[in-house]
Amino acid sequence: MSRAAKGAGRRTPPVVIAAFVLPAFALFAVVLLYPMLSALAYSLFEWGGGTKLVGFNWFDNFVVLFTERPFTTQLPNALFNNLVVFVGTLLLQNTIGLFLAVQLNRFERARRLFQVLYTTPYLVSPLVVGYLWTLLLAPSFGPVNAVLRAVGLDALALPWLGDPALALPTLVLVSVWQWIGFPVLLYGAGLAGISPELHEAAKIDGATGLRQFWHITLPLLVPVIGTVSILTYIGSMESFALPYALGGVSGSPAGATDMLSLLFFRTSFQSGAPNALGVSSALATVMFVLVLAGALLGRRLFARQEAKIS
Amino acid sequence: MTAVLSEPAALDDRAAPTARRLPGRAFWWQAVVVLALCGYAAVSVIPLVTMILNSFRSHLAIATEPWPWPVDPTLQNYVNAWTKASFSTYTINSLVVTIASVALSTVVALPAAYAIARWRFRGREFVEALFISGLFIPFMLAILPMFHLMDALRLIDNPLSLVLVYAANGIPFSIFVFAAFFRHLPAELEEAAMIDGAGPVRSFLSVSVPLVRPAIATVVVFRFVPIWNDFLTPLVLLRSPEKFTLGVGLSKFFGEYQTDWASLFAGLVIATVPLLVLFIVATRQIITGITAGIGK
């Protein structure tokens, strides 16, 4: 009886299958897949004023992107800033975040509470985070500088977002503040998966806490560190709302917080250039390649590291 | 049983004297660690607490005393943000768009995931791979052609365009999660339903879907957050302020009310509260969801 029913289940009429699959497929293909594929093609055409197609122009859009002003100055600047945000966020996450996660792992009862506390900023929208810190860091009425002055650190009460030299490091700190709960959670889950017997065995062999960390904890966390690093890379290459809220669409002051995503937005929707569509599609393609190449490279590096350990 | 239980206790007894014999250094290190953990918790939470407290303080109080204490609570900021700065409109728009998008992608993804997980048909593997590849589509790359697609459909400045974009974006993740859950359902239940005379549609709706409710909860929570927080898409697709969602509304508000700090804080809180409610309701789903697949 059961076998007969199973057979009947397999012979579902094609009409039913189509009715089940097609709505999702149509929506996905038309609104997401088709635009994604055409984006790559867009970059190879010249466009006149909006969506008027002028003609195929090979790689001219890329040539414009790499040789013409303002891109020759703005593109390297934005890319550099993106990389600074990535490296800065990664360094702080993998030191502070890892320290917090490793220490939390020893406090079984308080762990969940602290994890939730560290994760709260991650749960607030990046735009809100950006505007919140704009208010908190405001030179005149901002509470951060008020506290610094109150404890006698007047020299540190600086225009954090107004000074071109300070704006980017401030952006990094705000970004770390927002995201740190994420690595803390992931490292916490990774640590929970390490068998306590390993640490006990090491302790019997006389290994100190620090040695245990270097030789047991850290190597076993390599896969999670890899995941966090790659996700941080993708996140920082694509971040838009946070820099938009902190420095506006032009990355003020003086382009110090300009990002590839902001440059893309300005080129597509604010430049008014006749071939804006072609050039900004080229830029989007470059960003896509950068993200993909970085993520694949990261995966290879970490896979090799993992292979070395095991 | 007692023997098993007594063993760890014996271990503890042996451990305790060693702990007591340790020099003061371990104690101080422990103190430093606890201080660091609490200190960072303060760093995480205080800015958000400041946001909430300042949203209840008058403009004058914030200007003269930047530290968010004492609070002489007033609701004036919320009244200003809600009525004068049209946050009521933005909030309703955001709620409608987010709920409609999550509902649409869930409703279309459930049957598709079910068919992929349960039935054999030609092209099944290709269709599944195509859906899953959608997880890796960089949104920034697709936004320009999306804009022109919506332009061609005459949907620019229409919230429906947002719903379509978000729903399409949610399909890969939703199908990924639902298909995994459907595969884990015992086939016997559906077989029993079929023996009772239920067709495939009926057994899908009244047997399988109710059984994957936890998956539906996870998907709804995980799709709600990025849609609620999204800023780029409405910035690109919407024009008129009465259609703005909270993100674009907030950026307009910051441009116009730059000196009214008190109302700005209230605006930030309004944009955050629905998410806070969601997190309080679904903390467990969120933490297990983020850490899924790592450790044991």
Side-chain angles (χ1 to χ4, degrees):
Chain A
M1 190 71 186
S2 152
R3 190 173 295 164
K6 222 178 232 171
R10 264 183 211 147
R11 264 180 275 116
T12 314
V15 187
V16 176
I17 296 177
F20 269 56
V21 177
L22 276 183
F25 189 78
L27 185 58
F28 172 75
V30 173
V31 182
L32 198 64
L33 202 60
Y34 163 71
M36 159 75 191
L37 295 176
S38 47
L40 299 169
Y42 272 32
S43 62
L44 300 176
F45 288 88
E46 188 187 337
W47 303 81
T51 51
K52 246 194 339 215
L53 188 69
V54 175
F56 191 73
N57 70 349
W58 294 102
F59 296 102
D60 278 10
N61 293 324
F62 292 90
V63 173
V64 169
L65 197 59
F66 292 119
T67 58
E68 276 181 30
R69 282 168 53 83
F71 302 109
T72 41
T73 50
Q74 292 190 357
L75 185 61
N77 176 49
L79 180 59
F80 174 78
N81 292 344
N82 271 106
L83 291 176
V84 168
V85 171
F86 163 59
V87 174
T89 310
L90 189 68
L91 283 180
L92 291 173
Q93 271 179 353
N94 284 348
T95 48
I96 303 176
L98 191 56
F99 173 82
L100 295 173
V102 169
Q103 298 307 331
L104 266 191
N105 197 41
R106 296 166 34 198
F107 298 91
E108 210 150 301
R109 276 214 214 126
R111 192 192 306 157
R112 185 46 68 92
L113 170 70
F114 277 90
Q115 279 178 345
V116 170
L117 292 178
Y118 297 157
T119 315
T120 5
Y122 169 66
L123 306 175
V124 179
S125 118
L127 192 75
V128 170
V129 166
Y131 285 133
L132 172 61
W133 281 99
T134 312
L135 293 173
L136 295 179
L137 292 169
S140 52
F141 72 92
V144 172
N145 281 357
V147 170
L148 289 171
R149 285 195 200 98
V151 297
L153 292 168
D154 293 60
L156 277 178
L158 299 163
W160 297 101
L161 290 165
D163 183 339
L166 289 174
L168 192 59
T170 307
L171 174 69
V172 172
L173 288 178
V174 173
S175 147
V176 171
W177 178 79
Q178 165 150 50
W179 295 112
I180 201 143
F182 181 67
V184 168
L185 280 180
L186 291 189
Y187 293 148
L191 289 165
I194 296 178
S195 143
E197 281 122 45
L198 284 172
H199 285 284
E200 273 157 33
K203 211 185 270 173
I204 291 165
D205 289 346
T208 60
L210 200 60
R211 280 184 66 116
Q212 284 180 42
F213 175 76
W214 276 114
H215 295 286
I216 298 172
T217 312
L218 200 57
L220 287 172
L221 279 184
V222 163
V224 192
I225 295 176
T227 307
V228 168
S229 307
I230 291 168
L231 290 176
T232 306
Y233 177 73
I234 298 173
S236 53
M237 290 307 275
E238 289 180 346
S239 89
F240 177 74
L242 184 66
Y244 185 99
L246 285 174
V249 75
S250 58
S252 53
T257 58
D258 198 11
M259 299 283 142
L260 290 173
S261 59
L262 295 173
L263 178 60
F264 166 78
F265 182 78
R266 294 200 304 273
T267 315
S268 327
F269 299 102
Q270 294 189 337
S271 72
N275 190 23
L277 186 53
V279 177
S280 56
S281 294
L283 178 54
T285 308
V286 169
M287 289 169 67
F288 170 57
V289 170
L290 280 172
V291 169
L292 192 69
L296 291 178
L297 185 75
R299 244 186 51 176
R300 271 189 79 133
L301 284 177
F302 280 99
R304 193 176 300 165
Q305 201 63 33
E306 266 174 65
K308 219 186 273 174
I309 292 159
S310 57
Chain B
M1 193 65 196
T2 19
V4 175
L5 277 176
S6 69
E7 214 168 358
L11 268 175
D12 274 356
D13 279 348
R14 258 184 285 140
T18 23
R20 243 175 271 135
R21 253 192 283 116
L22 280 174
R25 247 179 68 189
F27 170 78
W28 286 115
W29 172 240
Q30 190 84 343
V32 168
V33 164
V34 170
L35 209 64
L37 291 176
C38 294
Y40 198 82
V43 170
S44 285
V45 176
I46 285 178
L48 295 170
V49 173
T50 308
M51 171 175 92
I52 295 167
L53 292 179
N54 271 349
S55 72
F56 290 107
R57 298 171 77 216
S58 71
H59 183 69
L60 187 71
I62 297 176
T64 50
E65 184 58 69
W67 189 240
W69 203 259
V71 183
D72 180 17
T74 163
L75 286 174
Q76 194 53 45
N77 306 327
Y78 285 94
V79 174
N80 286 349
W82 194 252
T83 55
K84 273 193 227 152
S86 25
F87 266 69
S88 50
T89 316
Y90 305 150
T91 308
I92 292 166
N93 292 347
S94 272
L95 278 174
V96 170
V97 165
T98 310
I99 292 171
S101 321
V102 175
L104 179 59
S105 69
T106 307
V107 165
V108 297
L110 272 171
Y114 182 77
I116 287 170
R118 273 291 191 247
W119 298 331
R120 295 177 179 190
F121 54 92
R122 228 195 297 163
R124 186 184 61 124
E125 274 156 22
F126 173 73
V127 168
E128 187 180 11
L130 205 60
F131 277 132
I132 302 307
S133 77
L135 283 173
F136 305 100
I137 289 183
F139 194 59
M140 199 76 77
L141 184 61
I143 190 94
L144 273 177
M146 256 175 206
F147 175 81
H148 292 118
L149 177 74
M150 293 306 162
D151 195 30
L153 296 171
R154 309 224 172 277
L155 285 177
I156 296 291
D157 202 25
N158 183 338
L160 184 60
S161 63
L162 285 180
V163 174
L164 290 174
V165 167
Y166 291 143
N169 242 328
I171 285 174
F173 175 73
S174 312
I175 287 189
F176 182 67
V177 175
F178 291 148
F181 269 75
F182 280 130
R183 286 200 174 102
H184 278 109
L185 288 185
E188 284 78 16
L189 292 169
E190 290 150 33
E191 282 160 19
M194 284 193 183
I195 291 162
D196 288 348
V201 179
R202 184 71 197 281
S203 97
F204 162 71
L205 284 177
S206 45
V207 177
S208 307
V209 169
L211 287 172
V212 295
R213 260 182 307 199
I216 298 177
T218 306
V219 165
V220 166
V221 169
F222 270 79
R223 285 305 305 154
F224 193 96
V225 178
I227 296 175
W228 184 267
N229 285 346
D230 185 49
F231 171 59
L232 178 65
T233 325
L235 189 66
V236 169
L237 293 178
L238 299 179
R239 294 283 157 74
S240 23
E242 73 269 15
K243 287 171 188 157
F244 281 179
T245 52
L246 272 167
V248 213
L250 201 60
S251 76
K252 180 171 172 279
F253 185 44
F254 258 77
E256 286 171 9
Y257 292 74
Q258 217 153 32
T259 48
D260 186 2
W261 311 315
S263 301
L264 294 178
F265 279 114
L268 294 176
V269 174
I270 292 173
T272 309
V273 162
L275 281 188
L276 277 183
V277 172
L278 186 72
F279 293 137
I280 291 166
V281 177
T283 317
R284 185 157 301 161
Q285 265 106 332
I286 290 164
I287 290 189
T288 45
I290 290 174
T291 54
I294 288 175
K296 276 166 197 164

